[in-house]
Amino acid sequence: MTNGLLFYWFAWILWIITTFFMKKIRKRTVLACWILSVLMCSNLYASFENIQLSIAFIILWLGALLFHAKLPHLVYHVFSSFTISIGYIAILLWEQHTPVWMFLPRIILIPVISTMLIVILVKGFHNRIVVGILGISSGETIYSLLLSSYAIQETIGEMAFFDMTIITLLIIVSLEIIKITKQKLLLFSKQLLRWQNE
């Protein structure tokens, strides 16, 4: 599959949902502008010495950092982001050195493992989204800088990274939808039992 196709597809869907279906509050405007800025700059790159960096990646990372600063229990969430970034780096290094052991395609394996770490470490839907994005993007930065220290050039924030990030977000959103649906079904079944008893 072409790198970036999943990102463009689902990022536009996310922008449409944010713009047209969220309540008209300041947070909605900020989120819509953030998503649109990442989409607009997805093909722009900057170079610093021997490191090539995606402008969309910088916008994504800075936005996640600003949202992260507003989270409660900041120290714990910083620790969680660091743990997620270490896990992300470990998977990429594992893939680099022993690709034979990758039993699933990286587009599936990395988001699934990242989501498991996020769900285990962080509670709350918005917290998971912010900590997940910050952890994964920090991991991507550290991994690329680590490779560049060995004279292996890799672009920080390639389209494959955005694909994996959007899949991770989709899994988190899907888990939240399942959780809400389960709660509504339980509530409905309790009301049904109450009506039957009356």
Side-chain angles (χ1 to χ4, degrees), residues 14-15 18-19 22 25-41 59-60 63 67:
L14 191 62
W15 181 78
T18 305
T19 306
M22 280 183 73
I25 55 174
R26 187 173 176 269
K27 188 176 184 180
R28 181 199 77 156
T29 309
V30 171
L31 278 173
C33 290
W34 184 38
I35 295 166
L36 200 57
S37 300
V38 171
L39 277 166
M40 286 186 339
C41 298
I59 294 169
L60 182 75
F67 280 114

Side-chain angles (χ1 to χ4, degrees), residues 90-133:
I91 298 166
L92 290 177
L93 287 174
W94 180 37
E95 180 196 27
Q96 189 81 16
H97 292 293
T98 55
V100 176
W101 289 102
M102 296 292 279
F103 50 89
L104 286 172
R106 76 187 309 233
I107 197 90
I108 296 169
L109 184 67
I110 295 174
V112 166
I113 294 175
S114 299
T115 304
M116 286 177 7
L117 275 173
I118 293 164
V119 168
I120 289 168
L121 291 171
V122 185
K123 291 183 179 179
F125 176 65
H126 295 99
N127 297 348
R128 284 177 178 168
I129 295 286
V130 173
V131 170
I133 291 174

Side-chain angles (χ1 to χ4, degrees), residues 8 27 47 53 56-57 68 95-96 129-130 134 146 150 168:
Y8 285 124
K27 188 176 184 180
S47 294
L53 184 66
F57 179 83
H68 196 278
E95 180 196 27
Q96 189 81 16
I129 295 286
V130 173
L134 186 64
L146 188 66
Y150 290 104
T168 304

Side-chain angles (χ1 to χ4, degrees), residues 134-148:
L134 186 64
I136 291 169
S137 52
S138 298
E140 175 77 5
T141 306
I142 296 167
Y143 173 73
S144 298
L145 292 174
L146 188 66
L147 288 185
S148 70

Side-chain angles (χ1 to χ4, degrees), residues 24-93:
K24 292 184 179 180
I25 55 174
R26 187 173 176 269
K27 188 176 184 180
R28 181 199 77 156
T29 309
V30 171
L31 278 173
C33 290
W34 184 38
I35 295 166
L36 200 57
S37 300
V38 171
L39 277 166
M40 286 186 339
C41 298
S42 60
N43 288 325
L44 299 175
Y45 295 90
S47 294
F48 303 102
E49 296 180 9
N50 61 341
I51 298 168
Q52 192 173 16
L53 184 66
S54 167
I55 302 296
F57 179 83
I58 296 170
I59 294 169
L60 182 75
W61 187 78
L62 287 174
L65 201 62
L66 290 173
F67 280 114
H68 196 278
K70 294 181 178 182
L71 291 180
H73 313 295
L74 190 60
V75 175
Y76 176 75
H77 286 124
V78 167
F79 173 76
S80 299
S81 295
F82 180 70
T83 306
I84 292 161
S85 65
I86 294 297
Y88 181 80
I89 294 164
I91 298 166
L92 290 177
L93 287 174

